[in-house]
C-alpha cells in the first residue's frame, strides 16, 4: 500500500544521504509516517467528531468547511491536532519498519518479523494514540490540551504500575489485530516478490 511505498522512498532517500539501512528505516519511516499522518488527519478528525456525536455550534453536521471555518481564530488548535496525528503515525511507522528490519536481520521470517514489529509499534505508540484521540474529540472552536498533558494524565495514580496497566487496558485486542494483519502482509510479500522476480526473470530470494 501507500504506507509501504512512501516509507521505502524516504528510506532510500536517507540511504542516499549516507545512512546505513537500519538507521534509514527508522529515520525515513518517521518522515513518511509524519507526512501521511498529517495529511490524513483532517479526515480522521472529522470522522471522530461524527462518531462521537460532538455537537456543531449552531446545529448542522461536521463537514470539512465547517471545521476549517474556525481556522482564522483557532487555526493553531486545528494544526495542533494534525501535528499530533503526524507524530503518532511517524512513531508507529518508524518503530514498525525499523524493528521489522532488525528482526529479519536476526533470522526471523517475514511473517514473524512483520507481526512482532507491528506489536512493538502498537505498544510503544499506544499512549500517544490515546492522547491524539482525546484531542480529536474536542471541537475545533475549543482548545485541546497538549499531548504531553494528556499522556501525563494517563499515568497518574497511586503507583506507576497500576496507572500503566489502566492506561493500556484496551491494548491487547489492538496488538492481536495488528500482529495478525501485518503477519499476513509479511507472508504475502514473499510470494509477491517471488512472482515479480519470475516475471522479470530474476532469481528468487534465498
Amino acid at each position: 500500500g501507500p504506507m509501504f511505498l512512501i516509507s521505502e522512498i524516504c528510506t532510500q532517500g536517507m540511504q542516499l544521504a549516507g545512512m546505513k539501512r537500519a538507521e534509514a528505516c527508522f529515520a525515513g519511516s518517521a518522515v513518511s509516517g509524519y507526512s501521511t499522518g498529517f495529511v490524513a488527519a483532517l479526515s480522521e478528525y472529522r470522522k471522530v467528531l461524527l462518531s462521537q456525536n460532538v455537537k456543531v455550534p449552531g446545529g448542522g453536521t461536521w463537514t470539512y468547511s465547517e471545521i476549517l471555518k474556525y481556522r482564522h481564530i483557532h487555526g493553531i488548535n486545528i494544526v495542533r491536532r494534525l501535528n499530533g496525528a503526524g507524530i503518532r503515525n511517524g512513531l508507529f511507522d518508524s518503530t514498525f519498519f525499523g524493528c521489522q528490519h532488525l528482526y529479519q536481520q536476526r533470522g526471523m521470517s517475514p511473517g514473524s518479523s512483520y507481526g512482532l514489529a507491528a506489536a512493538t509499534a502498537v505498544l510503544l505508540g499506544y499512549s500517544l494514540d490515546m492522547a491524539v484521540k482525546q484531542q480529536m474529540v474536542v471541537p475545533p472552536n475549543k482548545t485541546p490540551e497538549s499531548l504531553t498533558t494528556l499522556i501525563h494524565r494517563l499515568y497518574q495514580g497511586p503507583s506507576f504500575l497500576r496507572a500503566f496497566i489502566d492506561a493500556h487496558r484496551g491494548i491487547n485486542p489492538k496488538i492481536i489485530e495488528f500482529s495478525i494483519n501485518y503477519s499476513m502482509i509479511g507472508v504475502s510479500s514473499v510470494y509477491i516478490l517471488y512472482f515479480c522476480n519470475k516475471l522479470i526473470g530474476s532469481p528468487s530470494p534465498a
Side-chain angles (χ1 to χ4, degrees):
M3 168 185 168
F4 288 84
L5 177 61
I6 299 173
S7 173
E8 182 59 28
I9 291 172
C10 292
T11 296
Q12 291 191 19
M14 293 296 177
Q15 287 182 273
L16 290 174
M19 285 188 177
K20 294 181 180 179
R21 178 67 185 183
E23 298 169 346
C25 284
F26 281 102
S29 299
V31 173
S32 66
Y34 178 86
S35 302
T36 54
F38 188 95
V39 170
L42 188 61
S43 175
E44 179 186 357
Y45 184 34
R46 178 175 178 267
K47 289 178 181 177
V48 171
L49 291 173
L50 292 172
S51 66
Q52 298 301 312
N53 295 315
V54 178
K55 292 183 178 180
V56 180
T61 187
W62 288 113
T63 61
Y64 294 116
S65 59
E66 182 68 31
I67 294 172
L68 292 175
K69 83 176 187 180
Y70 297 99
R71 67 186 182 277
H72 300 299
I73 302 175
H74 299 280
I76 189 63
N77 294 328
I78 296 175
V79 171
R80 187 177 295 172
R81 295 173 178 86
L82 307 187
N83 181 60
I87 294 172
R88 176 200 59 194
N89 285 30
L91 176 61
F92 180 91
D93 286 13
S94 177
T95 305
F96 170 73
F97 286 105
C99 288
Q100 191 277 326
H101 175 78
L102 294 178
Y103 294 154
Q104 195 159 350
Q105 286 292 103
R106 283 160 176 71
M108 295 183 68
S109 67
S112 298
S113 63
Y114 273 60
L116 182 57
T120 305
V122 169
L123 179 61
L124 290 181
Y126 191 74
S127 300
L128 180 57
D129 183 45
M130 294 289 288
V132 170
K133 284 182 168 59
Q134 289 180 39
Q135 279 193 337
M136 289 192 171
V137 172
V138 180
N141 61 319
K142 295 183 179 180
T143 303
E145 294 181 283
S146 68
L147 291 176
T148 52
T149 299
L150 292 168
I151 292 173
H152 180 262
R153 185 176 300 150
L154 284 173
Y155 294 99
Q156 286 182 337
S159 70
F160 177 79
L161 180 60
R162 181 72 259 172
F164 182 87
I165 293 172
D166 290 342
H168 292 74
R169 186 165 292 170
I171 197 173
N172 289 341
K174 189 172 183 178
I175 286 181
I176 293 171
E177 176 191 352
F178 274 64
S179 297
I180 293 174
N181 289 343
Y182 280 85
S183 293
M184 293 175 65
I185 292 173
V187 172
S188 63
S189 69
V190 175
Y191 295 98
I192 293 171
L193 183 59
Y194 172 78
F195 286 115
C196 288
N197 287 326
K198 294 284 285 185
L199 287 173
I200 63 177
S202 300
S204 60

